[in-house]
Amino acid sequence: MLTLYNTLTKQKEIFEPIHPGKVSIYACGPTVYDYAHIGNWKTYITNDLLRRHLEYLGYEVRHIENITDVGHLTRDDISQGDTGEDKIEMKAKKEHKTPQEIARFYETYFKDALTKLNILPAHYFPCATEHIPHMIKLIESLITNGHAYESNGNVFYDISSFPHYGELSGNTLESLRIGARLEAEHPDKKNQWDFALWLKAPKDHLMQWDSPWGKGYPGWHIECSAMSLEYLGNTFDIHMGGEDHIFPHHEAEIAQSEGVTNIHPFVHFWIHTRHMMVEGKKMSKSRGTTYRIEDVETNGYTTMHLRLALLSAHYRSQMNFTWDALDQAKKNFERITNWVNNTSDVHENARKENREEIQRYEQKFWDALNDDLNTPKALSVLYELITFTNTHKRSVSVDTLNILWGRLNSVLGLILPSFSHETIPKEVTILTAERDEARMNKDFQKSDALRAKIESLGYIVEDSPNGTTVKKQ
């Protein structure tokens, strides 16, 4: 039975979908003005993990992930996220390109990187700029319902009109009134804690649309409400994102969506991935630690090493990324690769007791994932399983291990390099597996001895980022 930590209720809950057998997911996608970094990918790996696990459990999943190509302002970390310059517009001016050119370039980069990391693409990636009419209609409804007001061509949400405000983040109206974090930055607001739904565009603004309130552009928050309501309906199962989205973005989404539909709760489960640290500190462009996939590859690692490293930390823990941690992920990936590729060396006549032991390992693996996606524990079980099956190689069936790995990897999503055993004698591949185990145990004397034995049989051992391979001398 799957349990998930719900940010809304601040506790683990048994997951039950609104409609039996079907799960609806909305995930906050990228603001396409820059390259995604490894901290972003931790969030998208979490999204992928949950979707894969739900599908393994037999659910039919509908996954929507937006592309923010307008309205996300530079000062989204203060106030109500409605001040500063549009991030895409700012990048367009800097690079002397149109906002559309900027957005499409980084959208393409993002989707290509999804493929590299073997992240399942959303069933649909709606772009904010394609849904301006939906946002305008939503804002009109909020004004009619008494939740929003127009002021000098701008439209703001009056959070004092919404009693549930603050339930997700803890930033209630009372706490905002007495807090020092908010500043009265926009002169057209009635109250400093209100947030923008529509902003009046200066004449030279590169992105603006006609509206009942004049030319302008949408606020960041209204975009996700409009698109989630359009594609998933008035209420749905799961909303995902990084912990930085909890406030003000997701708090605002709840106020907007429920302010139109009067359905509470708007979302049944809120799942948030915690921030990543790098070398024990916050990611920083000035320190050069805002690493991208390309940085990982330049340093001799593959995207699968990165995927395994990101899976090795629980999504609600503050992962500390280090190159040493990536080294360990690389070794673990190599160990898994050798295990999978050497299953052809075992005998077919599996003993019942070993089959039952393997089933116990598998159940422990699924129990870990069912406990709020506990990937560190699930991977630990996998490594124990590898040790067990390597020890009992001659009494574990090939089919048993191949089918088992197919099930486990349907959720882990690792793409393993394969190497052929057609021309490699069984004795050599068995020695290769034993050497791999020795290296994992840091028994380098044994590892060197096994290498020498393999070479004496006329084969070369090559250790690479993609695993160990052997070939004829």
Side-chain angles (χ1 to χ4, degrees):
M1 189 171 291
L2 175 62
T3 61
L4 296 170
Y5 183 86
N6 189 349
T7 307
L8 185 64
T9 60
K10 313 298 186 291
Q11 62 184 4
K12 289 183 188 179
E13 299 177 7
I14 295 173
F15 175 73
E16 294 181 0
I18 298 168
H19 302 290
K22 298 184 178 182
V23 179
S24 47
I25 299 176
Y26 185 91
C28 278
T31 300
V32 282
Y33 75 103
D34 205 348
Y35 299 100
H37 54 66
I38 57 173
N40 302 134
W41 292 121
K42 182 172 186 271
T43 297
Y44 297 122
I45 288 288
T46 300
N47 300 351
D48 187 57
L49 173 70
L50 178 55
R51 174 177 162 184
R52 286 173 177 273
H53 189 45
L54 288 167
E55 290 180 342
Y56 175 81
L57 294 174
Y59 291 106
E60 179 186 333
V61 178
R62 180 169 172 78
H63 173 198
I64 305 298
E65 189 163 299
N66 71 296
I67 302 293
T68 298
D69 55 359
V70 67
H72 194 167
L73 306 185
T74 53
R75 302 180 71 190
D76 64 349
D77 59 338
I78 64 169
S79 187
Q80 286 285 46
D82 57 13
T83 54
E85 188 175 358
D86 185 289
K87 292 184 177 183
I88 293 172
E89 176 147 334
M90 184 176 69
K91 192 65 170 281
K93 291 176 179 176
K94 182 179 179 180
E95 297 190 7
H96 305 289
K97 297 178 180 177
T98 67
Q100 292 76 19
E101 288 173 327
I102 293 295
R104 300 293 76 81
F105 175 84
Y106 289 108
E107 179 184 354
T108 299
Y109 172 85
F110 172 75
K111 290 179 178 177
D112 288 346
L114 289 179
T115 301
K116 279 188 170 185
L117 284 162
N118 199 28
I119 294 173
L120 298 175
H123 295 107
Y124 190 53
F125 289 100
C127 291
T129 52
E130 297 171 353
H131 294 78
I132 302 298
H134 302 78
M135 300 173 205
I136 290 173
K137 184 178 179 180
L138 198 60
I139 295 168
E140 288 178 319
S141 296
L142 288 170
I143 293 174
T144 300
N145 292 352
H147 290 296
Y149 58 90
E150 185 271 341
S151 178
N152 191 30
N154 303 286
V155 183
F156 298 96
Y157 192 103
D158 179 4
I159 71 168
S160 66
S161 70
F162 185 68
H164 294 294
Y165 194 89
E167 286 184 357
L168 182 71
S169 67
N171 288 317
T172 61
L173 177 58
E174 184 60 30
S175 68
L176 293 177
R177 280 174 172 157
I178 64 177
R181 186 167 180 261
L182 293 177
E183 305 169 17
E185 290 149 334
H186 204 296
D188 294 322
K189 286 185 181 183
K190 288 182 181 178
N191 305 296
Q192 61 181 345
W193 44 81
D194 296 341
F195 60 86
L197 301 172
W198 187 264
L199 288 166
K200 182 179 180 179
K203 288 184 178 181
D204 62 346
H205 201 273
L206 298 179
M207 292 186 285
Q208 52 183 289
W209 291 264
D210 290 326
S211 79
W213 318 286
K215 287 188 176 293
Y217 56 95
W220 175 33
H221 311 315
I222 197 65
E223 300 174 4
C224 285
S225 285
M227 289 184 280
S228 64
L229 291 172
E230 174 70 14
Y231 294 100
L232 297 178
N234 291 344
T235 183
F236 54 92
D237 294 302
I238 299 171
H239 198 311
M240 306 188 75
E243 66 173 337
D244 54 320
H245 288 149
I246 297 173
F247 184 84
H249 187 49
H250 288 165
E251 196 73 74
E253 273 191 68
I254 293 173
Q256 293 164 162
S257 300
E258 294 186 11
V260 169
T261 66
N262 292 316
I263 295 175
H264 181 75
F266 161 51
V267 175
H268 286 223
F269 279 81
W270 289 87
I271 311 296
H272 292 98
T273 302
R274 192 136 188 234
H275 283 154
M276 176 189 288
M277 304 292 281
V278 176
E279 303 290 352
K281 297 179 181 179
K282 186 177 180 180
M283 252 187 234
S284 168
K285 286 186 178 181
S286 63
R287 287 197 298 267
T289 57
T290 309
Y291 298 128
R292 293 161 35 195
I293 286 176
E294 291 77 9
D295 298 310
V296 169
E297 292 173 324
T298 297
N299 279 277
Y301 306 96
T302 70
T303 52
M304 288 300 102
H305 297 148
L306 177 60
R307 182 180 177 99
L308 184 57
L310 296 177
L311 286 171
S312 299
H314 191 269
Y315 78 95
R316 285 196 296 115
S317 68
Q318 190 169 63
M319 177 182 179
N320 181 33
F321 177 87
T322 65
W323 294 109
D324 285 344
L326 205 50
D327 272 337
Q328 185 59 52
K330 180 178 178 179
K331 292 175 183 176
N332 289 336
F333 183 80
E334 182 178 309
R335 186 183 185 194
I336 294 169
T337 299
N338 284 332
W339 177 64
V340 172
N341 280 295
N342 280 301
T343 56
S344 61
D345 302 322
V346 304
H347 292 292
E348 300 290 344
N349 55 339
R351 290 205 304 260
K352 180 180 178 182
E353 58 267 31
N354 288 329
R355 208 162 49 238
E356 291 175 346
E357 184 67 18
I358 288 171
Q359 288 171 351
R360 282 192 286 271
Y361 279 113
E362 182 178 10
Q363 188 57 54
K364 288 168 65 177
F365 179 91
W366 297 121
D367 287 346
L369 287 183
N370 282 330
D371 182 16
D372 194 32
L373 306 178
N374 192 336
T375 51
K377 187 173 182 180
L379 287 171
S380 176
V381 171
L382 172 61
Y383 301 142
E384 291 174 10
L385 170 64
I386 291 173
T387 298
F388 173 81
T389 55
N390 282 342
T391 303
H392 298 79
K393 234 180 199 319
R394 294 186 176 275
S395 56
V396 179
S397 119
V398 173
D399 288 342
T400 296
L401 290 186
N402 285 342
I403 293 170
L404 171 61
W405 172 245
R407 289 196 295 265
L408 304 186
N409 197 43
S410 68
V411 177
L412 295 176
L414 297 172
I415 299 175
L416 303 183
S418 62
F419 47 90
S420 172
H421 298 282
E422 292 180 2
T423 61
I424 306 297
K426 288 186 177 181
E427 181 183 2
V428 173
T429 52
I430 289 172
L431 290 171
T432 301
E434 290 177 358
R435 177 177 175 271
D436 178 55
E437 197 69 26
R439 292 178 69 211
M440 289 301 302
N441 295 330
K442 299 188 183 303
D443 189 345
F444 300 115
Q445 184 175 356
K446 182 178 180 181
S447 171
D448 291 341
L450 288 166
R451 175 192 281 273
K453 189 169 183 180
I454 292 169
E455 290 176 347
S456 72
L457 295 171
Y459 290 86
I460 298 171
V461 180
E462 294 182 347
D463 298 318
S464 73
N466 293 325
T468 301
T469 59
V470 291
K471 61 184 181 181
K472 193 76 174 174
Q473 289 180 352

